[in-house]
């Protein structure tokens, strides 16, 4: 099957160069391209530490007589109220989408999604006294479940739901992350460009000890592992060195015989 026969269902295209017509992006993850996949993948990887960070802003630890520490809620203030609403929104989105895709894939939803607190069929949100660690655990289990099943979700024929899923969840994570940043700024790889299109590789730092980097092409959205990045860097370096060596030999022969 050629690229033209397997375009991204959303109609994503490569920008035309030198007056050329834009070309459709190939569906590499189910019915969607690497850019669509990369956007929701990045959001799902980020949402758990982001939720933990937000909830940690809402509580303080106080020592008691036995020397232990207990979490004590801070009196609600405008910033805290807004932050807690954002954390609840992210949690509720994950509960909803885990339920949707579990039903359409005929799979069991993760525990936190099944046990979510509902009122009139609507997700209420995190408990008011939830700890940052418990918030991260609940959100992390759901986001991991969605990541594991992501390619299967993107291969479904519920196109409107899939595109709403990408826009809603990724959009919420991007908005909340801009309000409450949790990580160092990403950098660009100085080792190699994207092997598919030559675009710059954006390197997102790990969020916690033992985590891995997210490496994503800013042009096509393809996600690379650290191992893949190192492999392509070696290939790029080897190709560049061979090209430089060839130019040196050519220049030497030209100077020797053309003179």
């Amino acid at each position: 099957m050629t690229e033209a026969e397997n375009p991204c269902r959303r109609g994503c295209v490569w920008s035309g160069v030198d007056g050329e017509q834009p070309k459709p992006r190939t569906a590499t993850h189910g019915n969607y391209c690497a850019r669509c996949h990369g956007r929701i993948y990045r959001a799902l990887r980020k949402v758990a530490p982001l939720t933990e960070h937000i909830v940690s802003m809402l509580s303080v630890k106080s020592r008691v007589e036995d020397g232990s520490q207990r979490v004590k809620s801070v009196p609600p203030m405008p910033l805290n109220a807004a932050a807690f609403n954002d954390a609840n929104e992210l949690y509720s989105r994950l509960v909803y989408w885990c339920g949707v895709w579990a039903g359409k894939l005929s799979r069991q939803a993760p525990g936190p999604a099944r046990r979510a607190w509902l009122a009139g069929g609507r997700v209420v949100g995190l408990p008011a006294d939830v700890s940052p660690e418990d918030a991260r655990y609940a959100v992390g289990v759901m986001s991991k479940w969605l990541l594991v099943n992501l390619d299967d979700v993107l291969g479904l024929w519920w196109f409107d739901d899939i595109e709403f899923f990408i826009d809603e969840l990724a959009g919420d994570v991007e908005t909340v992350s801009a309000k409450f940043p949790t990580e160092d700024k990403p950098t660009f790889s100085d080792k190699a460009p994207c092997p598919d299109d030559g675009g710059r590789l954006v390197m997102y730092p790990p969020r916690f000890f033992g985590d891995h980097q997210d490496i994503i092409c800013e042009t096509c959205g393809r996600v690379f592992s650290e191992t893949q990045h190192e492999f392509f860097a070696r290939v790029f370096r080897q190709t560049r060195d061979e090209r430089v060596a060839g130019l040196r030999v050519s220049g030497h022969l030209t100077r020797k015989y053309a003179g």
Side-chain angles (χ1 to χ4, degrees):
M1 180 179 289
T2 65
E3 292 188 3
E5 294 172 333
N6 188 33
C8 176
R9 174 68 191 187
R10 196 163 200 178
C12 297
V13 298
W14 295 97
S15 299
V17 179
D18 297 331
E20 294 181 352
Q21 289 290 341
K23 297 180 180 179
R25 290 177 179 262
T26 304
T28 54
H29 296 269
N31 297 300
Y32 292 86
C33 66
R35 184 170 65 178
C36 293
H37 168 266
R39 188 181 181 209
I40 189 62
Y41 171 90
R42 172 72 180 152
L44 290 170
R45 286 266 297 132
K46 191 173 188 175
V47 67
L50 176 60
T51 304
E52 180 183 36
H53 172 64
I54 295 171
V55 175
S56 70
M57 300 170 58
L58 311 176
S59 61
V60 294
K61 291 182 177 179
S62 61
R63 292 193 176 276
V64 294
E65 292 181 359
D66 61 3
S68 62
Q69 290 186 338
R70 295 177 183 172
V71 174
K72 180 180 179 180
S73 296
V74 176
M77 298 175 65
L79 174 62
N80 288 344
F84 194 62
N85 287 339
D86 286 332
N88 276 334
E89 193 67 23
L90 294 176
Y91 170 84
S92 300
R93 293 275 191 254
L94 289 169
V95 171
Y96 173 77
W97 285 114
C98 282
V100 168
W101 300 129
K104 295 189 184 302
L105 292 171
S106 299
R107 296 173 188 170
Q108 187 176 57
R114 299 196 309 272
R115 297 190 297 268
W117 183 20
L118 303 177
R122 184 176 180 274
V123 180
V124 175
L126 293 162
D129 59 348
V130 68
S131 70
E133 295 77 13
D134 287 344
R136 179 180 184 134
Y137 173 78
V139 169
V141 170
M142 292 188 288
S143 60
K144 180 68 177 294
W145 186 91
L146 287 167
L147 279 168
V148 168
N149 292 282
L150 185 56
D151 274 15
D152 290 340
V153 168
L154 298 180
L156 294 170
W157 292 85
W158 302 84
F159 303 127
D160 289 343
D161 288 340
I162 293 171
E163 290 160 27
F164 185 55
F165 164 60
I166 294 172
D167 290 341
E168 181 184 57
L169 186 54
D172 281 350
V173 172
E174 290 161 3
T175 299
V176 175
S177 180
K179 292 167 63 177
F180 308 106
T182 62
E183 59 188 27
D184 296 332
K185 292 184 178 180
T187 58
F188 292 107
S189 171
D190 59 359
K191 295 182 177 181
C194 175
D196 294 340
D197 54 42
R200 293 187 299 179
L201 298 180
V202 185
M203 305 182 68
Y204 295 91
R207 299 164 190 78
F208 52 87
F209 180 76
D211 190 22
H212 61 78
Q213 286 183 314
D214 284 337
I215 304 171
I216 302 178
C217 175
E218 69 169 354
T219 302
C220 69
R222 179 179 172 185
V223 179
F224 296 88
S225 68
E226 294 177 38
T227 301
Q228 288 174 320
H229 175 241
E230 290 299 327
F231 170 76
F232 288 124
R234 287 197 301 272
V235 172
F236 176 75
R237 186 167 56 248
Q238 181 179 351
T239 303
R240 180 191 58 196
D241 292 346
E242 290 174 351
R243 185 166 59 247
V244 170
L247 289 173
R248 286 175 179 169
V249 171
S250 176
H252 172 72
L253 294 176
T254 300
R255 289 191 299 273
K256 182 176 181 179
Y257 295 105

